[in-house]
Amino acid sequence: MAVIAGAAMHAGWNAVLKIRLDPFLAVVLVNAACGVIALPIALYLGLPELHVWPWIIAALLLHVVYYLTLTGAYRRADMGLVYPIARGSAPLLTTILSVTLIGEAIDLQAFLGVVLLAFGILTIAWRRRGAAAFDRTALRLALICGLTITGFTLVDGMGARAAASPHLYAAWLFVLDGVTVTALGLAWKGRRAIASTLSFVGPGVAGAAMSLTSYWIAVWAMTKAPIGLVAAVRESSVLFGAAIAVIVLHEPLRRERIVAAVLIVIGLVLIKTH
């Protein structure tokens, strides 16, 4: 239930990326705010052990690729299409890799739940005949984004388990994420562009609060349950993303999204009751 709540917040902060601001600048704003919020907690908890830093650095590098591909896709296509493709391509692959590489035990019912959930997520982005073509560059970026999600999910799960506390890992990851993405934004967009984000501080802080809480829950959950199952349940965020896309961003509601919702709910039930 905590991960599902986090999934709702994850969809919420992604909607912030569609405000009247360049998507990458929105990412800079949200991550900078996350870093500021996490800094007092990180200082209170102290520095991670040396063996935890490689996990944090690996996660940072994957996050940079994730932000660049996600925002690049958002410039070319609607949230209702990009979000489910990016998120839907990750849970099944994450589950398979967590079983084969880490040796986590997942029974057949839970695996079937993951498969149904993944298909449900991807169904949200299904295009009808005669519908406008999906930008191929946006599709490639969304799929690459999905691969990076798989990568940093596994890294975060193992990093949080290696650390003395998942909270210690998450706090320093957010602080360094904020510093890294802000520095990248300054180098790429310049000071004037970064300064322009200050007029969106309200949505930025709201997005940061949702992003930080959602990610923190996921990192903690991966120390309590199999990484693949946590990743799969977290991707139920596409249900909330679809609702936001229709209600807030006024994107069209299609029959496929209803079918997808049914598949996702069945998948979640199978995972929860396995």
Side-chain angles (χ1 to χ4, degrees), residues 112-170:
L112 178 59
V114 172
V115 172
L116 287 176
L117 191 146
F119 274 110
I121 292 170
L122 292 172
T123 300
I124 292 178
W126 189 265
R127 304 296 287 168
R128 292 180 178 178
R129 287 185 179 180
F134 188 71
D135 185 286
R136 291 185 179 181
T137 300
L139 177 61
R140 285 194 291 269
L141 288 171
L143 290 172
I144 294 171
C145 183
L147 290 175
T148 63
I149 292 168
T150 298
F152 70 64
T153 299
L154 292 171
V155 168
D156 285 336
M158 292 184 286
R161 292 175 181 180
S165 161
H167 308 299
L168 177 70
Y169 176 90

Side-chain angles (χ1 to χ4, degrees), residues 85-248:
I85 290 176
R87 308 304 304 191
S89 55
L92 186 56
L93 183 57
T94 302
T95 302
I96 292 171
L97 291 179
S98 70
V99 171
T100 56
L101 296 182
I102 306 176
E104 293 192 319
I106 297 177
D107 63 25
L108 182 60
Q109 178 180 320
F111 186 77
L112 178 59
V114 172
V115 172
L116 287 176
L117 191 146
F119 274 110
I121 292 170
L122 292 172
T123 300
I124 292 178
W126 189 265
R127 304 296 287 168
R128 292 180 178 178
R129 287 185 179 180
F134 188 71
D135 185 286
R136 291 185 179 181
T137 300
L139 177 61
R140 285 194 291 269
L141 288 171
L143 290 172
I144 294 171
C145 183
L147 290 175
T148 63
I149 292 168
T150 298
F152 70 64
T153 299
L154 292 171
V155 168
D156 285 336
M158 292 184 286
R161 292 175 181 180
S165 161
H167 308 299
L168 177 70
Y169 176 90
W172 281 103
L173 179 59
F174 269 108
V175 169
L176 295 176
D177 234 14
V179 172
T180 302
V181 175
T182 301
L184 180 60
L186 285 168
W188 182 18
K189 300 291 186 177
R191 291 184 180 180
R192 288 186 179 180
I194 298 300
S196 70
T197 66
L198 295 178
S199 59
F200 296 92
V201 166
V205 172
M210 290 185 286
S211 175
L212 185 145
T213 306
S214 170
Y215 207 101
W216 210 301
I217 288 171
V219 169
W220 163 79
M222 286 187 287
T223 65
K224 304 294 182 181
I227 294 172
L229 297 188
V230 173
V233 174
R234 188 168 186 251
E235 304 316 341
S236 64
S237 60
V238 296
L239 279 177
F240 303 101
I244 291 170
V246 172
I247 298 169
V248 179

